[in-house]
Every structure is written in C-alpha cells, then in structure tokens.
Amino acid sequence: MSRFFSARRRTLKPYVPGEQPRDMKYVKLNTNESPFPPSEKAVKEACKAAESLELYSDPECTLLVKKLSEVYGVNRDEILFTNGSDEILNFAFAAFCDEENYAVFPDITYGFYPVFAEMNNVPYAEIPLKDDLTIDVSDYISVNKTVFIANPNAPTGIALGLDEIESIVKSNPDNAVIIDEAYVDFGAESAAGLIHKYKNLLVTQTFSKSRSMAGARLGFGLADKELIADLNTVKYSTNPYNVNKMTMAAGIGALSDEEYTRINIETVKENRAFTAAELKKLGFEMTDSSANFIFAKHPAVDGEKLYLLLKKRGVLIRHFTLDRIKDYNRITIGTKEQMQILIKNIKEILDTEV
C-alpha cells in the first residue's frame, strides 16, 4: 500500500475472484462459467463489429436494447445494459443506498455485495442464513432498507419462490429491492415479470452463465423506467461507453439464438442431476441447487483438503473459508466428460483418505 492511498479506502477488502492458474491444464470447475462456447451467431456479430472499433460504441445500446425488449417482453426504457451484472449492482448501491437507506443482504451470498457497499460508503447489515443455509424471508419483510438478494443464492444455489420474492418487494414499497438473477436460468423463476407491478423492483441478469459470454462482460437490469433513469444518471456520471461494440454485437447474436441457449441450459441441468446423484453415492451432502453449480460437503473429508487434493490432480473447484461453509466446496457443472473426471478423482481421493 502506498502512502498516497486514500485513508477512506485503506480498510477496503476487495472481492476475490475465482483463481485462474496457468501452471497446468485444469478441468476448470471453479468460476461457474459455461462449458460451451458462445453461439456462432454471437461470434459472427462480434467479428463484424470489430471492423469499426475506431468508433465509440453506442452509449444507449440501441439495437441490443431493442432485441432484449422483444425477447423479454419489456419496454425499452425499462432496460439498462452494463459491463457485466457486477456493474449494475454497483450502480444500484450508488443510486439506492445512503446513510438512511442502508443495504441489507444475507451473510452468505455473493461476495461483491459488502465490497460495493464499502466502495460507495454505504452502511450495511448482513442477515444470517438459517441453519440449513436458506434465506428466512421474514427477515426481509418490511425491513425498510435497500434489499439485495441473489436468487438463486450463491454459493448455496438455493432459490426462493416467486411468491416469496414478491412478498419482500411488496412489503418494502419505500425502498428499492434488487434481485440478482445471475443463475436464474438453471432452475429458478425470474421476477422480471413483476417490474410492471412494483416500481421498487430491480432485476439484474447476466450473459456470463447461460449465454456463454463470461469473457465478454455483459449484464443488464430490468425495472420501472424511473429506476432505470436513476441508474443511467450513475452510468453517465462514470462511463457512458460502458459496453463495447463487440460485446454489444455478441449480445444481439446470442439473443437471436435462444434455442442454442435453451439446449445448453438443459444439458447443464442434466449434468447437474448426474453429478449430484454420483456425489450422493459417495456420501456427500449438498444443498438443493437451482444454479449451474453444486454446493457439497463430505462428512469424512475436510473441504479445503478436498479442494487442494483435486487441484493437485488438475481439477479446480472453489473453496470458501467462512466458518459456516468451510466444509463445503462449490463445483461448477461442466460437460458430462468433465463431471466424470471429477467423480473419478474424488473416488480415488476417498479411497486414499477415508
């Protein structure tokens, strides 16, 4: 840390992304990426856009907004595209939180929430999950603060029902409620249809997971036009050209190939069921995941130890050190072949260690 670093930032604990080692070739199951390449239409459109990179991108994402409005059945002024869904979540902390309207979110959830709160000088409270790692909806009813909930939650993969989400939104009419749906396509019900019913609801999603575009960095929010206008004020005060031309074009291509996305989603869900069944045979316990990952622990093997032993064998999963979940590992669902390699290595480890 230099002596020039702002005193206000010196205690900041940055978000730690999933590791990206280069020392060997890994079966990479640690960052919830899609195991499938992006749609050919997305690649084709991105390549075409690369021919005019000397010009700035459209700050309004006009053609992309038009396409998404058609696919999702929302108005164009109810959409905002950002550089990954992380950016719109950051915008939401900046736009809808302050000293009076502080943020609330689960104590075990997406690790960027406390970072965004601290970066924006927003007070926040972390509400403990129940013993079974589920969200207690009653904790958020009439909480009268700005609510952030990942649905399905991460890293647990557990989803709330749409009726539960609605009860939270309805009971906090004077505060924004942000539902982070990064993993919604893999088994949960989206709250996007509620934005026309509740003016305080912001739903965020991403192209990183189900649309195989993690490297492109494209996210978006759906909300009442007044909330979108607030978020645009933050956007145009920071980076008007936040979505580059190639990403914008790739997004249009992906939205033009929804069948490809649907097939990949179904394959991931099938591979998730296969992996969960195989892990249960080996004695693992796991949450009921509605995401593109499994959150699992074994009663006879320490979570960190399993993670490290698999890493030595070239299989990368994600381990968290928080006390409540240190026995668990989060395992991204990959191809059937990748999951078979994972199971084979776990069997060998258990035969040796147990």
Side-chain angles (χ1 to χ4, degrees), residues 282 310 313 338-351:
L282 297 175
L310 283 171
R313 290 165 167 262
Q338 288 176 320
M339 306 324 291
Q340 288 170 332
I341 292 171
L342 168 78
I343 298 299
K344 175 180 179 293
N345 278 276
I346 288 178
K347 284 180 179 179
E348 292 174 356
I349 289 171
L350 293 178
D351 287 342

Side-chain angles (χ1 to χ4, degrees), residues 24-29 274-275 278-279 282 284 298 301 305-317 331 336-354:
M24 62 184 291
K25 184 176 181 180
Y26 288 92
V27 174
K28 195 169 180 297
L29 306 174
F274 163 77
T275 306
E278 292 300 310
L279 289 176
L282 297 175
F284 279 85
H298 196 284
V301 183
K305 184 176 183 179
L306 179 60
Y307 149 73
L308 291 172
L309 289 171
L310 283 171
K311 185 177 180 179
K312 285 183 179 179
R313 290 165 167 262
V315 179
L316 205 59
I317 59 177
I331 304 167
K336 184 72 170 291
E337 180 184 10
Q338 288 176 320
M339 306 324 291
Q340 288 170 332
I341 292 171
L342 168 78
I343 298 299
K344 175 180 179 293
N345 278 276
I346 288 178
K347 284 180 179 179
E348 292 174 356
I349 289 171
L350 293 178
D351 287 342
T352 303
E353 301 295 326
V354 179

Side-chain angles (χ1 to χ4, degrees), residues 248-317:
M248 206 180 300
I252 294 171
L255 289 170
S256 302
D257 202 356
E258 287 291 271
E259 179 64 10
Y260 178 76
T261 297
R262 187 193 66 77
I263 291 171
N264 288 344
I265 290 170
E266 290 305 312
T267 302
V268 167
K269 290 165 72 172
E270 291 170 6
N271 292 349
R272 182 181 67 201
F274 163 77
T275 306
E278 292 300 310
L279 289 176
K280 286 178 181 177
K281 290 177 186 177
L282 297 175
F284 279 85
E285 301 169 13
M286 63 201 72
T287 58
D288 184 16
S289 177
S290 296
N292 67 335
F293 56 82
I294 287 173
F295 200 52
K297 66 178 181 178
H298 196 284
V301 183
D302 175 77
E304 184 177 19
K305 184 176 183 179
L306 179 60
Y307 149 73
L308 291 172
L309 289 171
L310 283 171
K311 185 177 180 179
K312 285 183 179 179
R313 290 165 167 262
V315 179
L316 205 59
I317 59 177

Side-chain angles (χ1 to χ4, degrees), residues 106-332:
D107 64 335
I108 298 172
T109 190
Y110 185 32
F112 236 139
Y113 296 165
V115 178
F116 288 146
E118 291 176 16
M119 276 294 294
N120 289 285
N121 299 312
V122 171
Y124 64 94
E126 295 176 298
I127 300 176
L129 296 180
K130 294 193 289 186
D131 289 343
D132 63 358
L133 300 182
T134 60
I135 290 173
D136 189 338
V137 175
S138 65
D139 288 335
Y140 298 88
I141 299 297
S142 301
V143 71
N144 297 320
K145 302 298 177 187
T146 305
V147 176
F148 290 82
I149 290 179
N151 194 49
N153 196 18
T156 67
I158 301 171
L160 293 176
L162 188 58
D163 58 332
E164 295 175 301
I165 293 294
E166 183 169 9
S167 67
I168 294 170
V169 177
K170 185 177 181 180
S171 71
N172 292 285
D174 297 322
N175 296 88
V177 176
I178 294 85
I179 305 300
D180 176 0
E181 295 186 344
Y183 303 101
V184 72
D185 293 333
F186 300 100
E189 188 173 2
S190 176
L194 297 177
I195 67 166
H196 296 131
K197 188 175 181 180
Y198 299 101
K199 290 183 175 294
N200 62 323
L201 172 63
L202 169 64
V203 175
T204 67
Q205 291 191 21
T206 179
F207 279 59
S208 293
K209 316 302 180 183
S210 61
R211 292 188 172 89
S212 303
M213 284 176 51
R217 312 308 303 130
L218 184 62
F220 63 94
L222 305 174
D224 179 82
K225 64 180 182 180
E226 292 183 359
L227 288 190
I228 295 297
D230 296 339
L231 293 166
N232 264 313
T233 297
V234 176
K235 168 190 165 178
Y236 281 92
S237 300
T238 52
N239 182 13
Y241 306 104
N242 61 332
V243 180
N244 71 71
K245 297 184 77 167
M246 293 178 69
T247 290
M248 206 180 300
I252 294 171
L255 289 170
S256 302
D257 202 356
E258 287 291 271
E259 179 64 10
Y260 178 76
T261 297
R262 187 193 66 77
I263 291 171
N264 288 344
I265 290 170
E266 290 305 312
T267 302
V268 167
K269 290 165 72 172
E270 291 170 6
N271 292 349
R272 182 181 67 201
F274 163 77
T275 306
E278 292 300 310
L279 289 176
K280 286 178 181 177
K281 290 177 186 177
L282 297 175
F284 279 85
E285 301 169 13
M286 63 201 72
T287 58
D288 184 16
S289 177
S290 296
N292 67 335
F293 56 82
I294 287 173
F295 200 52
K297 66 178 181 178
H298 196 284
V301 183
D302 175 77
E304 184 177 19
K305 184 176 183 179
L306 179 60
Y307 149 73
L308 291 172
L309 289 171
L310 283 171
K311 185 177 180 179
K312 285 183 179 179
R313 290 165 167 262
V315 179
L316 205 59
I317 59 177
R318 185 87 188 258
H319 179 70
F320 297 89
T321 58
L322 291 173
D323 282 344
R324 292 187 66 191
I325 56 173
K326 64 183 181 181
D327 292 333
Y328 286 85
N329 284 298
R330 192 191 68 191
I331 304 167
T332 302

Side-chain angles (χ1 to χ4, degrees), residues 56-63 235 240-243 245 248:
Y56 281 114
S57 58
D58 173 11
E60 296 181 357
C61 301
T62 305
L63 296 179
K235 168 190 165 178
Y241 306 104
N242 61 332
V243 180
K245 297 184 77 167
M248 206 180 300

